[in-house]
Amino acid sequence: MWRILKQIARTGIVTEPAPLWAEADAPAIARIHQDILDILGQALTIRQVDAGSCNGCELEIHALNNPYYNLEGLGIKFVASPRHADMLLVTGPVSRHMEEALRRTFEATPEPKLVVAVGDCGCTGGIFGESYASCGRVANVIPVDAVVPGCPPPPIEILRAILGAVRRRQARPNAA
């Protein structure tokens, strides 16, 4: 035990410093929040579907729920069932094993449904492309309303894509 404590004292702190808070993002986040509230005027429910990703995008999606982005404060929340969802947030290239499950999830989502493809893999198939094991991008399987490129994309870009998809839904003549 003493040997370990001596080693810790000799080595010191070896982690990298915490990132500086980006105050430049605060007005953009506040503006996006206000735009979403103005357009929706109610809650937006999202069903997140991992269609075969590496989980990098999921980490960024989880960051949307932290106090910095405060997604729940906007009335936007994640749900477990596509039957309760207004939007599907899909990550990863669609693996052949997830193709049918993604279609069923899309069909179970009530109208007007929105789909946002997150990450390079969801937008283009990424490094996986189309193969015997992968259908490639999400748009190859279901219709997509918005895409968020990046590997992984930052949470603010995911928030912007959600806002863009909601704006497009509002602009549709038959929007509910």
Side-chain angles (χ1 to χ4, degrees):
M1 170 96 166
W2 290 110
R3 193 184 81 208
I4 294 172
L5 290 174
K6 286 180 190 176
Q7 178 68 30
I8 291 170
R10 269 194 311 263
T11 306
I13 298 174
V14 293
T15 60
E16 60 188 50
L20 298 174
W21 187 67
E23 290 190 26
D25 284 346
I29 293 169
R31 189 173 50 257
I32 291 170
H33 282 187
Q34 191 57 48
D35 287 348
I36 289 174
L37 283 175
D38 291 343
I39 291 169
L40 291 175
Q42 60 185 11
L44 174 72
T45 54
I46 300 172
R47 171 68 172 128
Q48 195 271 321
V49 179
D50 178 351
S53 76
C54 68
N55 292 330
C57 294
E58 279 77 10
L59 294 173
E60 301 301 319
I61 291 169
H62 287 291
L64 288 172
N65 284 320
N66 70 26
Y68 183 79
Y69 294 99
N70 192 22
L71 207 60
E72 287 274 338
L74 293 173
I76 300 173
K77 59 184 178 178
F78 289 89
V79 294
S81 172
R83 298 187 193 288
H84 302 146
D86 301 312
M87 174 183 287
L88 295 179
L89 207 58
V90 186
T91 61
V94 182
S95 69
R96 296 281 179 203
H97 294 288
M98 281 297 294
E99 181 179 8
E100 184 61 28
L102 182 59
R103 277 199 186 100
R104 286 182 181 181
T105 301
F106 179 76
E107 290 166 5
T109 306
E111 292 288 342
K113 47 188 135 195
L114 297 169
V115 178
V116 176
V118 179
D120 286 342
C121 295
C123 297
T124 65
I127 61 172
F128 304 100
E130 292 181 45
S131 68
Y132 70 94
S134 172
C135 298
R137 62 191 182 135
V138 175
N140 290 348
V141 179
I142 59 174
V144 172
D145 296 296
V147 295
V148 189
C151 187
I156 192 163
E157 293 304 319
I158 298 170
L159 200 54
R160 283 187 179 118
I162 291 170
L163 174 61
V166 169
R167 279 184 176 154
R168 280 189 285 282
R169 177 176 80 176
Q170 183 190 31
R172 289 182 199 160
N174 59 354

